[in-house]
Every structure is written in C-alpha cells, then in structure tokens.
C-alpha cells in the first residue's frame, strides 16, 4: 500500500495493522511494523502514513469555510482514530522502538501530542531550524517524523535534500544501547 523499508539488516518479520477499522471510520492510513535483526538484537520499527487533511485544507484556502471546516473536522477525527490504533499497536512491543513516516500531523498538534508526545521526536530533540518536510504549493510543514522510546538515544536529526517528492526525507542517527 505504498510503504517501503530498505534495510541493511535482516527483516525477520513484517506485519500490517488491520485496516478494516480504519477504513470503516473513513480513513486511508497504513501502519506496518518490521522486526529487524541487528547483530542478534531485535528492533521494532513501525512505518506509518496517516490520513491527510488536504480535503479540508483546500476548500478553506479557497474561501469555502463551511465545507472546509467540516471536512477538516472529519479528517481530524479519522487521524485521531488512526493515531490511537497505531499507538496501541506500537505499545504492544518492548525493547527498542522506532516509529517513522508521514504522520500528517505537526508535532504541535493536539492529536500528535496525545498519542506520540511521550515519545522522543528526533528532530525536536536533535534537529535545527523549522525542519519542514512537506513542500508542495502553499504548504510548508514538518509532518514527517521519527519518534523513539526511551531505550533509543538520538544522536542527530535533519531534513534531507529534495529528491523530487512533495516530502523531504527525515534522517536521524540513532544509538541502540544493547546493539552498539
């Protein structure tokens, strides 16, 4: 469904969150977890792409406030459901946990803080500047994130170069204490 992980380490297991409940709520989010074998230790890495608010933002920008705000509210409810389900799924793991992808949420949003705020945001912790990852038309925002639990140390984080996408890559150097 459009998510991909390229790893120099063996991927022992891949599993996807059941999307039936997300689709029933009107969402299109995807959540995939990969278990990597890093020198005999397991790392749980979750890649996600939550629903976009674009259907609500465009009408607001064009001045159609009633339609836009209604759609924004609906899309916010869906992203809240998707975030809650993804977080519950992530919390079932122990050890080193990394969650990354297109959250379609800035770190300042209520939904982000509610579901991901207790994890360490790599760019907020070790980055510099605005860290905009979304550059398309009039949108400039940091909606792509890498978040980690307390087991993982964040050495550095930055936004990568433009490779022709409407998103720029988020890059982080992480240290996993048991895996050094």
């Amino acid at each position: 469904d459009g998510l991909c992980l390229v790893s120099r380490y063996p991927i022992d297991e891949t599993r996807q969150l059941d999307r039936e409940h997300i689709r029933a709520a009107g969402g299109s989010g995807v959540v995939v977890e990969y278990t990597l074998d890093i020198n005999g230790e397991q790392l749980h890495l979750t890649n996600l792409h939550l629903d976009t608010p674009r259907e609500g933002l465009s009408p607001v920008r064009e001045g159609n406030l009633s339609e836009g705000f209604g759609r924004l509210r609906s899309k916010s409810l869906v992203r809240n459901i998707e975030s809650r389900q993804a977080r519950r799924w992530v919390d079932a793991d122990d050890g080193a946990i990394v969650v990354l992808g297109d959250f379609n949420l800035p770190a300042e949003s209520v939904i982000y803080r509610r579901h991901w705020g207790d994890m360490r945001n790599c760019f907020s912790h070790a980055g510099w500047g605005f860290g905009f990852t979304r550059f398309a038309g009039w949108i400039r925002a940091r909606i792509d994130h890498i978040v980690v639990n307390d087991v993982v140390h964040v050495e550095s984080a930055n936004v990568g170069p433009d490779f022709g996408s409407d998103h720029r890559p988020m890059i982080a150097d992480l240290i996993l204490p048991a895996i050094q």
Side-chain angles (χ1 to χ4, degrees):
D1 288 322
L3 294 182
C4 175
L5 175 70
V6 177
S7 173
R8 73 176 100 179
Y9 300 103
I11 301 172
D12 286 344
E13 183 181 359
T14 301
R15 56 190 194 111
Q16 182 171 330
L17 179 65
D18 182 3
R19 295 180 66 196
E20 192 171 313
H21 299 319
I22 291 173
R23 286 187 183 128
S28 61
V30 180
V31 181
V32 178
E33 180 186 76
Y34 307 90
T35 303
L36 304 180
D37 178 348
I38 303 178
N39 302 327
E41 298 287 333
Q42 285 191 334
L43 169 67
H44 299 287
L45 186 143
T46 300
N47 188 1
L48 56 78
H49 184 196
L50 303 180
D51 204 29
T52 179
R54 195 174 315 120
E55 287 178 23
L57 291 173
S58 294
V60 167
R61 184 170 183 262
E62 295 164 4
N64 190 345
L65 301 182
S66 61
E67 177 188 348
F69 288 145
R71 287 184 182 178
L72 274 175
R73 185 177 190 323
S74 170
K75 289 298 182 178
S76 291
L77 291 171
V78 167
R79 280 197 320 282
N80 186 54
I81 291 168
E82 291 175 345
S83 285
R84 181 177 59 236
Q85 290 181 338
R87 182 56 194 262
R88 285 181 181 162
W89 209 45
V90 166
D91 284 345
D93 292 323
D94 56 358
I97 296 174
V98 176
V99 182
L100 52 83
D102 183 352
F103 287 64
N104 269 314
L105 299 163
E108 299 80 15
S109 81
V110 171
I111 297 169
Y112 178 93
R113 288 192 320 262
R114 179 181 300 135
H115 300 293
W116 307 103
D118 63 323
M119 295 184 79
R120 185 175 298 120
N121 183 300
C122 293
F123 190 84
S124 296
H125 182 74
W128 184 85
F130 293 113
F132 294 151
T133 59
R134 175 83 161 107
F135 285 86
W138 54 278
I139 298 174
R140 304 283 186 270
R142 179 165 54 104
I143 59 173
D144 304 280
H145 304 281
I146 302 171
V147 298
V148 299
N149 67 355
D150 290 339
V151 174
V152 181
H153 174 75
V154 181
E155 186 72 19
S156 66
N158 64 305
V159 177
D162 182 357
F163 287 109
S165 170
D166 57 347
H167 292 254
R168 293 192 179 163
M170 181 62 64
I171 301 167
D173 290 318
L174 307 175
I175 297 174
L176 308 169
I179 303 175
Q180 293 182 20

